[in-house]
Amino acid sequence: CNSRITTRDVIFIKSFNKKFGLLKILWVIIFIFMPVKILEARDIYVRLSNAGSYTIGSTKGNLFMTDADGNTANLGDSAKVIVSNGQLKISEHEFNLPVKFISENGLLKFNKHTYRGAFLIPHSAMLLNVLDVEKYLCGVLPAEVGATWDTEALRAQAIIARTYALHRSMSRAERGYDVVDTDADQVYSGAGVETAKSNNAVASTRNQIITYQNTIAFTPFHSDSGGHTANIADVWGQNYPYLMGVPEAVEYKSPVSNWNVKIASSKIQSAVKKITGHDVGNIISVQVFEIDNGGRAVNLKVIGSRGEEVIKAAQFRSSIGARNFKSTMLVSSAGAENLQASSNSKSANKKRSSRDLNSMTLDEEQLLAKMTADGVFTTDELIDMLTNPDTQKQYYSIGISRANIKTASEDDNQNNKSAHRFGFEVEKSGKNFVFYGKGWGHGVGLSQWGMLEMARQGWTAEKILMHYYPGTAIRKFK
């Protein structure tokens, strides 16, 4: 991530977009036969802003600009640029878009951050940072998980961040960029946050991506699952076999393991109307109407003075605000008290060993053997299970989720379980409702705090990723 940046020709976004429909078809055809090789030397287009007015600069002067007509200019240390009526203006001078900026001897500057690569302002007036994917990742890891995390956790984050960016780049024509620099995609803070440890994690995984059936996998991630990751179909309505939700393999605690938030009745009323188009009136009650096999809320029932609506918990969270309503792994007020008591008890007692956490009953061992014979697991998973017996409990849970199998204990407790699955009342306090929950994030894919604890317990990056994205493979695209 410390190689000198070389000047490249201007990339003409307008002509690129006109041709990309055909290129996308060719991409797919070639990808079937050469699924890895064609991704070599990919640049990532990061949207830094869409304000239309920017002050950009260079850390060592010599900020160079090239416009669509091939005109060039040395702008010195910095320049204020304004996009208006399809043209870029610098002082009294006008230039045709797209316009590219590079810093020949230093780094680019914008909004108190420094950046590698080039800046590009296309016809959309957005400010894009265009740079090699490996250099991009060096500005992602410290911003996403911190440069002091265990090496294997950093390596795992590097692989999924690379995969995520390249997956997004395949639909660049629809947006005009690949990713934004916030947690709407993955946090990217430029060259100023780079460290030797995080850069080494990027370098040690160079060109490695996660694939599923010879295509680039979709690898979303989040902070803390609350104990079990989510089924992507419940969150975004998509269907990926490797994103159906898995239990956490180890116990861990994060800063957001438990949380609660008060939501005003009026805000809930507005959220329901926004989602459904129906005003249910003054809110009488809110209940967790359905949960998934991992305990995560799927649907909420909101009853008001003018009617009721059943809405997706993930949509409700998004409408209320994901910063405050941290996850859909909801618990009752009584459940929250039990969690706190359990947490205090665990803190007072000696931590259980990994072998204790992964022990299996005879019934579970027999069902695992049946799932193995039925072909529920891939060859790589079978090899891992045989060579690492402590992973059998993990694969048992994965197999249950993948094969949609009910255990005998689940059948025996179906009545009790149904009482828990439906009609779970959210606590009401005056004109507010108090939601209690666990974890932070949408819950799909990898849990970063789970990843960290797994790394601390000796899991390799590869093994961590196969847990959170079962059925996938790690390959090099060069």
Side-chain angles (χ1 to χ4, degrees):
C1 294
N2 298 314
S3 59
R4 183 174 180 275
I5 295 173
T6 59
T7 304
R8 296 183 182 179
D9 293 333
V10 172
I11 300 172
F12 293 94
I13 295 293
K14 186 175 182 180
S15 61
F16 179 80
N17 282 342
K18 288 181 179 179
K19 297 177 181 178
F20 198 80
L22 176 59
L23 289 177
K24 190 170 184 179
I25 294 173
L26 292 175
W27 172 285
V28 173
I29 293 173
I30 296 173
F31 197 83
I32 294 173
F33 299 100
M34 298 178 64
V36 177
K37 184 66 175 177
I38 59 164
L39 294 175
E40 187 174 342
R42 289 285 297 191
D43 277 344
I44 296 299
Y45 287 57
V46 188
R47 193 192 75 182
L48 303 180
S49 176
N50 60 356
S53 177
Y54 316 104
T55 298
I56 58 179
S58 168
T59 58
K60 294 186 178 180
N62 296 324
L63 176 66
F64 285 93
M65 181 209 76
T66 306
D67 73 0
D69 299 322
N71 299 313
T72 62
N74 186 339
L75 304 177
D77 291 333
S78 65
K80 183 174 182 179
V81 302
I82 299 174
V83 181
S84 177
N85 298 322
Q87 289 188 312
L88 183 140
K89 296 181 180 180
I90 303 177
S91 298
E92 71 278 9
H93 302 289
E94 293 185 348
F95 302 90
N96 289 327
L97 299 171
V99 176
K100 181 180 180 181
F101 301 86
I102 63 165
S103 177
E104 189 172 48
N105 299 312
L107 299 172
L108 293 164
K109 296 190 300 183
F110 171 69
N111 200 21
K112 299 181 180 180
H113 292 287
T114 57
Y115 297 92
R116 302 188 184 279
F119 285 161
L120 180 69
I121 301 180
H123 290 277
S124 63
M126 296 181 292
L127 178 64
L128 309 179
N129 181 202
V130 182
L131 73 168
D132 178 80
V133 63
E134 303 300 323
K135 296 172 184 175
Y136 161 73
L137 293 175
C138 293
V140 170
L141 263 64
E144 269 292 345
V145 295
T148 61
W149 279 31
D150 285 50
T151 296
E152 290 304 303
L154 289 173
R155 293 182 68 248
Q157 184 68 53
I159 295 171
I160 60 172
R162 181 184 295 109
T163 307
Y164 181 91
L166 291 173
H167 185 275
R168 292 280 287 174
S169 75
M170 291 175 16
S171 55
R172 179 184 303 161
E174 300 170 12
R175 297 178 300 273
Y177 61 91
D178 299 332
V179 292
V180 297
D181 61 345
T182 70
D183 58 7
D185 281 310
Q186 46 194 15
V187 183
Y188 166 65
S189 298
V193 298
E194 293 178 12
T195 70
K197 184 175 183 179
S198 55
N199 283 5
N200 286 338
V202 174
S204 70
T205 62
R206 184 175 180 82
N207 298 331
Q208 290 184 12
I209 59 172
I210 298 176
T211 63
Y212 179 74
Q213 295 182 349
N214 291 331
T215 61
I216 305 177
F218 176 42
T219 54
F221 52 89
H222 56 281
S223 179
D224 180 351
S225 75
H228 198 291
T229 64
N231 182 347
I232 189 172
D234 295 329
V235 180
W236 295 317
Q238 298 168 295
N239 184 22
Y240 291 90
Y242 52 90
L243 292 175
M244 296 180 66
V246 296
E248 292 291 353
V250 298
E251 292 184 342
Y252 64 87
K253 189 172 181 61
S254 81
V256 287
S257 287
N258 301 292
W259 56 268
N260 65 80
V261 62
K262 283 185 178 181
I263 307 295
S265 298
S266 58
K267 192 169 185 178
I268 295 174
Q269 182 180 352
S270 297
V272 174
K273 185 176 180 180
K274 180 180 178 181
I275 294 169
T276 67
H278 177 211
D279 186 354
V280 296
N282 296 327
I283 306 301
I284 298 171
S285 72
V286 179
Q287 60 182 236
V288 177
F289 187 65
E290 183 181 359
I291 66 172
D292 65 13
N293 291 331
R296 185 179 298 272
V298 176
N299 291 316
L300 304 178
K301 178 184 283 188
V302 181
I303 302 174
S305 59
R306 299 177 186 170
E308 62 183 51
E309 290 285 350
V310 175
I311 57 177
K312 287 285 188 183
Q315 288 182 302
F316 180 75
R317 173 178 180 256
S318 178
S319 182
I320 291 295
R323 294 279 178 191
N324 294 321
F325 202 99
K326 297 188 182 301
S327 78
T328 56
M329 186 65 83
L330 303 177
V331 297
S332 67
S333 55
E337 292 174 0
N338 291 337
L339 283 172
Q340 187 60 46
S342 175
S343 176
N344 294 338
S345 174
K346 287 176 183 177
S347 298
N349 295 323
K350 186 176 180 180
K351 189 174 181 180
R352 289 182 295 169
S353 69
S354 176
R355 182 60 188 171
D356 290 335
L357 290 172
N358 293 323
S359 60
M360 297 179 64
T361 66
L362 179 60
D363 288 341
E364 289 173 336
E365 290 178 351
Q366 291 175 344
L367 184 52
L368 178 64
K370 183 180 185 303
M371 288 189 290
T372 300
D374 290 342
V376 172
F377 305 104
T378 67
T379 302
D380 289 342
E381 289 170 341
L382 290 173
I383 292 173
D384 185 36
M385 199 186 311
L386 290 171
T387 56
N388 300 286
D390 284 353
T391 65
Q392 290 182 3
K393 182 74 171 184
Q394 166 198 342
Y395 282 115
Y396 170 80
S397 298
I398 293 172
I400 292 293
S401 176
R402 190 179 294 169
N404 195 26
I405 297 172
K406 286 187 178 180
T407 64
S409 60
E410 286 178 322
D411 287 332
D412 291 341
N413 297 314
Q414 188 60 46
N415 291 333
N416 292 333
K417 189 173 182 182
S418 295
H420 174 63
R421 287 177 63 89
F422 302 100
F424 176 92
E425 290 287 341
V426 175
E427 179 182 317
K428 189 174 184 180
S429 176
K431 294 183 179 181
N432 302 305
F433 285 84
V434 184
F435 291 83
Y436 296 87
K438 301 185 294 178
W440 193 354
H442 49 67
V444 182
L446 178 140
S447 163
Q448 291 171 321
W449 282 94
M451 167 185 71
L452 175 60
E453 184 58 33
M454 293 162 83
R456 287 172 173 170
Q457 294 192 22
W459 290 52
T460 64
E462 294 76 12
K463 187 177 176 183
I464 291 170
L465 295 176
M466 292 305 98
H467 170 73
Y468 286 113
Y469 308 101
T472 63
I474 299 174
R475 302 181 64 184
K476 284 193 173 183
F477 65 80
K478 184 177 180 180

